[in-house]
Amino acid sequence: MDQSIFHIDGAPLKLLLLGGQKSGKSRQAELLARAWLQADAGRSASLVATGTAYDLEMHERIARHQRDRRERVPQLATLEAPRDVAQLLQAHSRPEHLLVVDCLTLWLTNWLMPMEPPTPAPAPAQAWQAQCDAFIAALQAATGPVILVSNEIGLGVIPMGREVRAFVDALGLLNQQAAAACNRVQLMAAGLPLQMK
């Protein structure tokens, strides 16, 4: 893999990988992390996991992802950040360290539709907007490469419920802001990347 992809015009790669369920987003991010690590023994990489296991199926899904990642990219460390992604980016971004945030969709879910609301519970929209602003600022300031994984869910049927419509809108806006802050954007479909930016 061409190592020049990790720097664009002298700046570190900031890549947004968009796609639907099972489109190959996470695998593409892992392949890039593996290429990053194989190119230089002095490099490191971490996966920022935003998913939380609130039921048995999600617990099994997370365990399967962890097993698959260990096989494909054994040097990829895992950092759990169900809510504090901005703070983690600030703390861990450096030129020799690649961060993969997987995924923005679950991160947004943890803020707008938490299974266990934080105590005390701030107004979700206000708390989310502050967190989103902090995240975009941290992404722009990151000194090392960052790969973001997010779902494109706005191509389907318009949801009937108010809460679901609000979530689809919020994710669409988050994806737009992330795309504007990134120097590369790819749309994944059937395991294939389509370069958008």
Side-chain angles (χ1 to χ4, degrees):
M1 188 173 283
D2 182 5
Q3 290 299 307
S4 65
I5 64 165
F6 294 108
H7 290 88
I8 303 334
D9 297 328
L13 174 70
K14 312 264 177 81
L15 170 64
L16 174 61
L17 291 170
L18 287 170
Q21 289 285 108
K22 294 296 177 191
S23 61
K25 305 178 302 292
S26 295
R27 183 164 298 213
Q28 177 75 352
E30 290 172 6
L31 290 172
L32 290 166
R34 187 171 67 191
W36 166 262
L37 290 164
Q38 289 175 342
D40 189 330
R43 290 178 173 178
S44 57
S46 296
L47 175 102
V48 179
T50 61
T52 304
Y54 287 111
D55 59 39
L56 180 59
E57 188 275 336
M58 189 62 171
H59 178 78
E60 291 171 351
R61 181 180 290 256
I62 289 172
R64 187 176 65 249
H65 277 283
Q66 290 170 339
R67 282 192 307 272
D68 292 347
R69 273 197 309 274
R70 278 194 298 271
E71 284 182 20
R72 290 192 291 257
V73 196
Q75 311 99 310
L76 184 62
T78 300
L79 303 168
E80 294 187 9
R83 290 175 57 92
D84 297 324
V85 174
Q87 182 181 13
L88 195 143
L89 281 179
Q90 291 171 340
H92 292 275
S93 179
R94 53 190 189 277
E96 71 284 355
H97 190 75
L98 178 139
L99 292 169
V100 176
V101 179
D102 195 354
C103 75
L104 297 184
T105 313
L106 290 175
W107 177 53
L108 177 65
T109 302
N110 293 336
W111 277 95
L112 295 189
M113 297 186 214
M115 294 295 288
E116 297 173 4
T119 305
Q126 292 173 334
W128 164 247
Q129 192 55 58
Q131 188 62 209
C132 184
D133 292 344
F135 165 73
I136 295 299
L139 176 61
Q140 291 171 328
T143 58
V146 179
I147 299 172
L148 308 173
V149 176
S150 189
N151 290 76
E152 176 49 72
I153 62 173
L155 298 174
V157 177
I158 297 172
M160 294 292 289
R162 178 174 58 89
E163 292 84 4
V164 180
R165 283 194 303 271
F167 181 84
V168 171
D169 289 348
L171 182 59
L173 292 173
L174 172 59
N175 286 342
Q176 288 183 45
Q177 290 178 281
C182 287
N183 47 26
R184 287 287 184 268
V185 178
Q186 290 180 354
L187 179 66
M188 297 296 300
L192 300 173
L194 172 65
Q195 197 75 26
M196 299 176 69
K197 178 182 177 182

